Amino acid sequence: MNNTPTIIDRVIGRKILAHTLFWIGIFILYTQVFFNAGVSFWFGFMKNIVLFPSMIGAAYLLNYYQIPRFYEKKKYWIFAGSLLISTYLFTALARILTIYIAEPVLGLDQPLPNMWALVLLAPDRLIKNYIMSIYIAPLIMLSIKMLKSNAEAKRNAEILEKEKHLAEINFLKAQIHPHFLFNTLNNLYSLTIQKSDEAPKTVVKLSEMLDYMLYQCNDRQVAISKELQLIHNYIDLEKLRYGERLALTINESIESPNIQVSPLILLSLIENAFKHGVSGAIQSPFIDIDLKVDSEKLELSIKNSKPQTKQKDPTSYKSGIGFSNIKRQLDLIYPERYHLAIDDKPETYHVSLSIQLV
């Protein structure tokens, strides 16, 4: 995929230039329309001057407030009412500017006393005579914004797909690294020698984890129930390693098992609490996990003890690379809809993640 910026990308990136060029183009288009209608250039120029305040106001109000604030949030009645009121006000403004500026300059009729009041009392004539002239430009702007948004969404989807595959490979290298597999298999061997009933359960949990990460989490979104099953399997296998010396607390509040989340991000954060927190601790390591998920928001808090001696960082998580990878995935999947924070103290490490799901 070619990520080299094109000329169009550079223009769009400079919003002031892009909007200036847009309105210059609209001005030229309207002037040409008036010229084709058989009026003089001066008449068309003055009509543009008095229409432009209403056109600009309508365009930015519609595209940057009414649609994102009301229509996209499914507040259709508020959107319709807001659009009706703004249409009336912008058409009235265009008519008043025409009467008090354009017509006197062009040598046409002088405004009568209290003419503005007569204008405001005739909404049907305002809409009939001015709505098309004013709202063509806002609709053109809306079309351009939709094309731009679709292009950006497609480009982000391509980037996400590429980085997702790379992230999955890196995840397996970083998370299911040889030490984890070695410890799990070593514990499994001990359980087998002891003919423990836990041995078959351990095999099942490890098998389910590998099956999920290799084959089941290829979608961008998965049910929270599947992600929780992966996390529980991982924690159960780690508990075999630490035994009773680990104080582990897990609090979960899940509104529905079918809520969709991005796979593996939660596990990445939990796994690092084990890897960089309690793995080097000699006495009384602890991990506290709080997870709350409803239809609108996900909140995860992970607090763990820190070892007295500095731990090796083979995945570069503490140095910032691993953290940056997680943040990059969040940027692509939940742009401007999440908050990720770290509180790194001498004896504890606290990670909090909040995601706006809708």
Side-chain angles (χ1 to χ4, degrees), residues 8-25 60 141 144 148:
I8 295 177
D9 291 326
R10 295 191 183 100
V11 171
I12 291 176
R14 299 179 177 91
K15 291 186 177 180
I16 295 177
L17 175 60
H19 285 253
T20 301
L21 293 176
F22 172 80
W23 288 113
I24 290 175
Y60 289 108
M141 179 181 284
I144 294 174
K148 178 175 174 287

Side-chain angles (χ1 to χ4, degrees), residues 26-262:
I26 292 295
F27 193 91
I28 294 173
L29 174 64
Y30 271 54
T31 301
Q32 184 65 36
V33 170
F34 284 123
F35 180 77
N36 291 340
V39 301
S40 66
F41 172 81
W42 180 239
F43 182 89
F45 179 83
M46 286 305 303
K47 287 292 291 184
N48 276 340
I49 291 296
V50 297
L51 286 175
F52 251 58
S54 294
M55 280 194 287
I56 292 174
Y60 289 108
L61 182 66
L62 176 67
N63 288 285
Y64 291 93
Y65 186 82
Q66 291 171 323
I67 290 179
R69 184 64 66 90
F70 302 135
Y71 186 83
E72 291 181 356
K73 294 185 177 180
K74 299 182 179 180
K75 299 177 180 179
Y76 299 125
W77 285 107
I78 299 178
F79 171 75
S82 171
L83 184 60
L84 186 62
I85 293 172
S86 62
T87 300
Y88 168 69
L89 294 177
F90 286 127
T91 54
L93 174 62
R95 180 56 183 157
I96 290 173
L97 292 179
T98 299
I99 293 172
Y100 286 93
I101 296 178
E103 292 180 354
V105 170
L106 293 171
L108 301 176
D109 296 335
Q110 293 296 319
L112 298 174
N114 298 325
M115 189 67 180
W116 60 270
L118 297 176
V119 169
L120 296 178
L121 293 175
D124 54 333
R125 294 184 60 186
L126 291 176
I127 294 176
K128 178 181 178 181
N129 296 329
Y130 285 91
I131 188 170
M132 288 298 296
S133 299
I134 291 173
Y135 274 90
I136 287 176
L139 291 176
I140 293 175
M141 179 181 284
L142 176 61
S143 299
I144 294 174
K145 280 177 59 65
M146 291 177 63
L147 291 173
K148 178 175 174 287
S149 297
N150 290 337
E152 288 180 349
K154 183 178 180 180
R155 183 166 56 219
N156 286 338
E158 292 174 352
I159 294 173
L160 178 60
E161 188 65 24
K162 182 178 180 180
E163 294 198 7
K164 183 177 183 293
H165 290 310
L166 180 61
E168 289 172 355
I169 295 173
N170 291 335
F171 178 85
L172 289 176
K173 290 180 179 179
Q175 310 298 331
I176 309 302
H177 51 78
H179 290 94
F180 172 75
L181 290 176
F182 175 79
N183 288 323
T184 302
L185 293 174
N186 188 48
N187 290 327
L188 178 60
Y189 176 76
S190 298
L191 293 173
T192 304
I193 292 296
Q194 299 168 13
K195 296 183 179 180
S196 171
D197 293 335
E198 293 298 318
K201 298 178 183 178
T202 302
V203 173
V204 171
K205 291 181 187 296
L206 182 59
S207 175
E208 287 178 351
M209 284 188 66
L210 295 175
D211 179 74
Y212 177 82
M213 288 184 288
L214 288 171
Y215 303 111
Q216 298 185 38
C217 63
N218 293 324
D219 295 330
R220 185 177 179 182
Q221 301 283 313
V222 297
I224 186 66
S225 59
K226 293 184 177 180
E227 195 72 358
L228 287 176
Q229 183 62 45
L230 173 70
I231 291 171
H232 291 160
N233 284 341
Y234 172 79
I235 291 175
D236 288 342
L237 293 178
E238 285 285 21
K239 285 167 67 176
L240 289 175
R241 176 183 177 186
Y242 295 103
E244 297 296 327
R245 73 186 185 94
L246 173 62
L248 178 66
T249 302
I250 304 176
N251 295 314
E252 296 175 0
S253 176
I254 310 299
E255 183 179 271
S256 169
N258 297 319
I259 293 174
Q260 299 292 299
V261 297
S262 179

Side-chain angles (χ1 to χ4, degrees), residues 231 234-235 266-274 289 300 302:
I231 291 171
Y234 172 79
I235 291 175
L266 302 183
L267 179 63
S268 299
L269 296 172
I270 292 173
E271 196 276 343
N272 275 285
F274 283 93
I289 302 172
L300 173 67
I302 307 171

